[in-house]
Amino acid sequence: MMNDTFMQVTNPRYRPHFHVTAPAGWINDPNGFVYFKGYYHIFYQYHPYSAEWGPMHWGHARSLDLVHWQSLPIALTPEKPIAKNGIFSGSAIVKDDKLYLMYTGHHFGESGHDDDFYEDQNIAISEDGIHFKKYENNPVISMPPSDNTANFRDPKVWQRGDMYYVILGGQTKAEKVGRVLLYASKDLLNWTYEGAIAQADTADQEGYMWECPDIFSLEGQDVLLMSPQGIQPNHEKYLNLHQTGYMIGKLDVDTAQFERNAFVEIDHGHDFYASQTMLAPDGRRLMFGWMAMWESIMPEQADGWAGALTFPRELTIKDNHIYMNPVAELDQLRINGSKKAVSFTPNATEQLVLSEADSHEVQLQLKTDEDYTLKFMAENDAVLTLHYDHQANKLTIARSDRPDQRVGYVKSAAVMTLQLLIDRSSVEFFINDGETVFTERYYSEIHPNVVLDKINFADVQATTYELEKNTVKYKK
């Protein structure tokens, strides 16, 4: 019998201060990222009864400014019996001054086997953005196309003119490769299958299932963002269990075709998956991701919770490459008077950048004519390091709790900039204005010192800020 008591956090030692987390319990994919009646809303995959993945609910938070979040009641609960049903990922859209959620219903068969399931697409509607009523004639899409397997999930809905469109992650029956399916509707309730807009070439190279698809335009180019499962590691690429990345191309909804370029990973860290974007009222394309990965070790589970969302990011595109940066509202979290310029000794070989990193931002600028290593030191132990190889323009992340490293590259330039968002047990590295990004969790009960190891400090500039704590207000 499943526990029906909500989890409680028993120890805050690893709890983030300014990242969205659930009140307690397990969290994964961000869902339903939308702006409605003056608030940004973010929903998330949520299991409130344990710190492990379980029958999925939709947790919910909202914000006026993208950085101070109010935790709200659970938005969607699975049908009974909950042990056989779940509310998988989906998206949100505003229509007739109401908020519509479109989500995947996940249903297990009688056998109890993991591969005995089916998935359908459903609608829930709210007038106030807090209380949701499931559409009485759900599901609105009851089954996948005949040439698709049971893997049929994660609707991302948008409007173009007087039509609504939704894409879904799918898998071909014949080749068992990932693909994206397109549907069209005039009212969000009655949908017509238009076709598969894109498909993996092979399972090993592009994945056996494409999860969490999202499509949008940036600077006149269409971007298909998704999380393929099953891409095999290729030297320094595709090293997570599953990946998240994008293909740039052109979508034609009339022919249901997406002409696309090759798949590119969007975040090179150990802990990033299942991203979702929205178009903000001011025209920015904003993104959340899950700040974890399926194979990640999560010591916080012992404390009654697991996982968090990334800090919200703005996406831009330049030379067919997507750049990610923290939303500009970050400056609202900088505590007045906390700005500090770091002084360096030119002839030193190692310098302290920040002591007792907890809820901080670090900005660094340095020349790229030599190697450097940025270390998070807990007493004498490096819990996390970022190493730069200047000859290869190569960045490598290593962690004390993981045997496997992660790698990213930057274009050749005379100067490198780094922006670090540090939040108790996580750090997000934005390098060269978001050209390359790493998202990482790390675990130390001691607040680590951030130390720069380099030969010549004469060309280094660094500024630190203390950031607000406890910006997520949980509903009691």
Side-chain angles (χ1 to χ4, degrees):
M1 183 176 175
M2 192 178 73
N3 178 20
D4 60 359
T5 302
F6 281 7
M7 287 295 290
Q8 301 292 322
V9 174
T10 58
N11 189 331
R13 56 186 169 165
Y14 303 129
R15 287 284 277 178
H17 298 296
F18 58 86
H19 285 77
V20 173
T21 57
W26 170 278
I27 181 176
N28 57 281
D29 307 5
N31 300 151
F33 191 19
V34 71
Y35 189 81
F36 179 63
K37 292 189 175 180
Y39 286 91
Y40 292 94
H41 291 257
I42 189 67
F43 303 82
Y44 48 83
Q45 292 283 279
Y46 181 34
H47 188 232
Y49 303 114
S50 80
E52 298 180 353
W53 188 92
M56 285 291 101
H57 301 55
W58 273 32
H60 186 194
R62 69 178 183 181
S63 174
L64 292 167
D65 59 8
L66 289 168
V67 294
H68 299 90
W69 292 90
Q70 176 191 13
S71 178
L72 294 172
I74 292 173
L76 298 176
T77 301
E79 307 296 335
K80 293 182 179 180
I82 289 179
K84 289 189 175 293
N85 294 282
I87 306 287
F88 274 20
S89 288
S91 55
I93 193 167
V94 178
K95 177 180 181 287
D96 299 332
D97 206 32
K98 297 177 183 178
L99 183 58
Y100 285 67
L101 305 183
M102 191 170 185
Y103 63 90
T104 295
H106 187 83
H107 314 275
F108 284 106
E110 295 301 322
S111 70
H113 297 152
D114 287 346
D115 58 357
D116 180 13
F117 69 89
Y118 68 93
E119 295 176 329
D120 52 28
Q121 315 312 320
N122 303 270
I123 291 284
I125 305 170
S126 174
E127 298 198 11
D128 62 4
I130 299 175
H131 304 92
F132 291 86
K133 183 178 181 182
K134 294 175 184 174
Y135 176 52
E136 60 185 6
N137 292 321
N138 278 334
V140 294
I141 306 176
S142 59
M143 62 183 65
S146 60
D147 61 347
N148 201 86
T149 69
N151 289 293
F152 176 59
R153 56 184 173 269
D154 310 336
K156 179 61 192 292
V157 62
W158 76 98
Q159 183 178 6
R160 180 183 292 183
D162 59 356
M163 292 293 293
Y164 297 93
Y165 296 93
V166 68
I167 52 172
L168 287 145
Q171 180 188 52
T172 64
K173 270 186 181 177
E175 303 90 352
K176 296 293 194 297
V177 297
R179 63 176 180 173
V180 171
L181 309 170
L182 177 69
Y183 287 76
S185 173
K186 292 183 178 179
D187 60 4
L188 293 174
L189 303 176
N190 299 279
W191 293 90
T192 302
Y193 177 53
E194 301 294 316
I197 64 169
Q199 178 175 310
D201 287 338
T202 68
D204 286 351
Q205 292 178 331
E206 293 186 328
Y208 63 76
M209 172 63 189
W210 287 0
E211 289 199 314
C212 304
D214 190 350
I215 200 159
F216 52 87
S217 294
L218 276 179
E219 298 295 330
Q221 298 186 81
D222 293 332
V223 179
L224 176 62
L225 179 70
M226 59 181 176
S227 294
Q229 296 179 310
I231 297 180
Q232 294 303 301
N234 181 3
H235 189 40
E236 296 168 338
K237 299 196 295 185
Y238 319 131
L239 299 179
N240 286 341
L241 177 63
H242 302 310
Q243 319 308 319
T244 297
Y246 60 93
M247 298 170 172
I248 295 173
K250 192 66 178 175
L251 174 65
D252 186 334
V253 293
D254 295 326
T255 61
Q257 291 296 314
F258 180 70
E259 296 182 8
R260 48 99 166 183
N261 294 337
F263 177 79
V264 179
E265 289 180 278
I266 198 167
D267 187 298
H268 298 275
H270 289 84
D271 291 300
F272 186 89
Y273 192 66
S275 57
Q276 186 171 106
T277 75
M278 67 160 287
L279 185 64
D282 59 11
R284 292 178 295 168
R285 178 59 57 173
L286 306 181
M287 169 204 271
F288 271 106
W290 178 34
M291 195 162 63
M293 252 305 298
W294 292 112
E295 79 271 31
S296 291
I297 301 162
M298 301 181 187
E300 71 264 29
Q301 288 178 302
D303 302 335
W305 67 283
L309 302 186
T310 63
F311 193 76
R313 302 171 180 182
E314 180 182 356
L315 305 185
T316 54
I317 192 168
K318 180 181 177 183
D319 299 328
N320 283 329
H321 182 83
I322 288 186
Y323 287 69
M324 294 193 291
N325 285 289
V327 294
E329 288 84 348
L330 170 66
D331 64 6
Q332 298 180 37
L333 294 184
R334 296 170 183 155
I335 295 175
N336 287 336
S338 69
K339 180 179 180 180
K340 293 181 181 178
V342 181
S343 297
F344 293 110
T345 304
N347 59 357
T349 58
E350 189 172 272
Q351 294 259 195
L352 179 69
V353 175
L354 176 67
S355 61
E356 298 187 357
D358 182 20
S359 182
H360 289 89
E361 178 189 0
V362 176
Q363 296 180 2
L364 277 163
Q365 180 176 301
L366 59 171
K367 289 186 179 178
T368 57
D369 56 354
E370 62 177 89
D371 295 357
Y372 69 80
T373 303
L374 197 64
K375 301 183 287 189
F376 283 59
M377 300 295 297
E379 294 183 335
N380 295 319
D381 297 321
V383 295
L384 185 152
T385 62
L386 173 72
H387 178 72
Y388 174 62
D389 176 346
H390 80 285
Q391 291 185 327
N393 295 315
K394 177 180 176 180
L395 294 139
T396 303
I397 291 272
R399 280 170 35 184
S400 60
D401 64 336
R402 300 283 300 251
D404 49 339
Q405 300 179 345
R406 294 292 180 267
V407 175
Y409 288 84
V410 289
K411 295 176 183 176
S412 180
V415 174
M416 175 178 289
T417 61
L418 293 92
Q419 183 179 20
L420 281 62
L421 293 190
I422 304 166
D423 194 5
R424 189 56 198 99
S425 62
S426 69
V427 58
E428 293 162 270
F429 296 88
F430 300 89
I431 300 157
N432 287 354
D433 298 317
E435 176 191 347
T436 297
V437 178
F438 295 90
T439 301
E440 298 288 340
R441 298 292 305 275
Y442 65 88
Y443 296 94
S444 170
E445 295 196 45
I446 299 170
H447 296 282
N449 293 332
V450 181
V451 176
L452 182 61
D453 186 341
K454 197 175 182 291
I455 295 172
N456 181 12
F457 283 88
D459 57 18
V460 180
Q461 298 177 33
T463 304
T464 67
Y465 297 87
E466 187 176 351
L467 302 180
E468 276 187 50
K469 296 181 179 180
N470 305 317
T471 63
V472 183
K473 305 301 181 184
Y474 298 106
K475 182 176 177 64
K476 301 297 184 183

